[in-house]
Amino acid sequence: GAALWMAGGAVSILEAAGVAGALFSGPLSDRLGRKPVLSAAIGGAALSMLLFVRVQGWLMFPLLLLLGFSMLSTRPVFLAIVQDHFPEHRSVANGLYMSTAFLLRSAALFLVGFLGDHLGLETVYLLGAGLGLLAVPAVWLLPEKGAA
């Protein structure tokens, strides 16, 4: 229900913050470890989404920054995890990861659209945030480096 310029600005803020998150998360995961950075990013994205759905006005903009930073910072960490587990075949692992991620994201968009039409977007966002919080403990079940 927002004006077109407001919606476009919101997406721009989200994506710009995501670029910053992607730039920082890879080196940060090299220093602090993959699992802590991934847990913080997924948990931060889920909590940001829960808050974002509930606020209005100017508070949306700081939450968009936090949401973009955390939500889009997982990709480099996942890529590093994949490459850690296949040191002899990094290019193959990278290609498989990127194509799988692309296909899953594409399917998820259809699912979000379908559920959004039937349940409402706010409900779908809350559901996604809840699933994100459930994913945080699953991060710690990932195998250790070199365990593949």
Side-chain angles (χ1 to χ4, degrees):
L4 186 59
W5 68 269
M6 180 72 115
V11 171
S12 297
I13 291 170
L14 182 81
E15 292 292 330
V19 168
L23 287 172
F24 283 106
S25 65
L28 196 60
S29 75
D30 290 340
R31 286 191 204 100
L32 302 178
R34 311 277 188 242
K35 292 179 183 181
V37 172
L38 201 53
S39 295
I42 293 172
L47 293 174
S48 300
M49 180 64 79
L50 287 173
L51 291 173
F52 179 76
V53 170
R54 296 295 178 203
V55 301
Q56 292 182 349
W58 67 271
L59 282 174
M60 290 188 322
F61 296 105
L63 284 171
L64 277 173
L65 288 169
L66 185 59
L67 181 60
F69 188 89
S70 58
M71 181 175 64
L72 300 176
S73 65
T74 59
R75 292 177 192 165
V77 181
F78 277 124
L79 184 57
I81 290 171
V82 167
Q83 291 184 352
D84 285 345
H85 285 84
F86 297 97
E88 300 298 320
H89 304 285
R90 289 183 180 199
S91 59
V92 172
N94 181 31
L96 288 171
Y97 165 74
M98 296 297 278
S99 54
T100 302
F102 177 79
L103 290 172
L104 288 175
R105 269 188 237 115
S106 299
L109 285 176
F110 282 109
L111 181 63
V112 167
F114 177 80
L115 292 175
D117 287 343
H118 290 85
L119 303 175
L121 284 177
E122 184 175 324
T123 302
V124 174
Y125 290 156
L126 291 172
L127 180 64
L131 290 173
L133 287 175
L134 290 175
V136 172
V139 168
W140 295 94
L141 297 175
L142 291 171
E144 293 300 322
K145 184 176 180 177

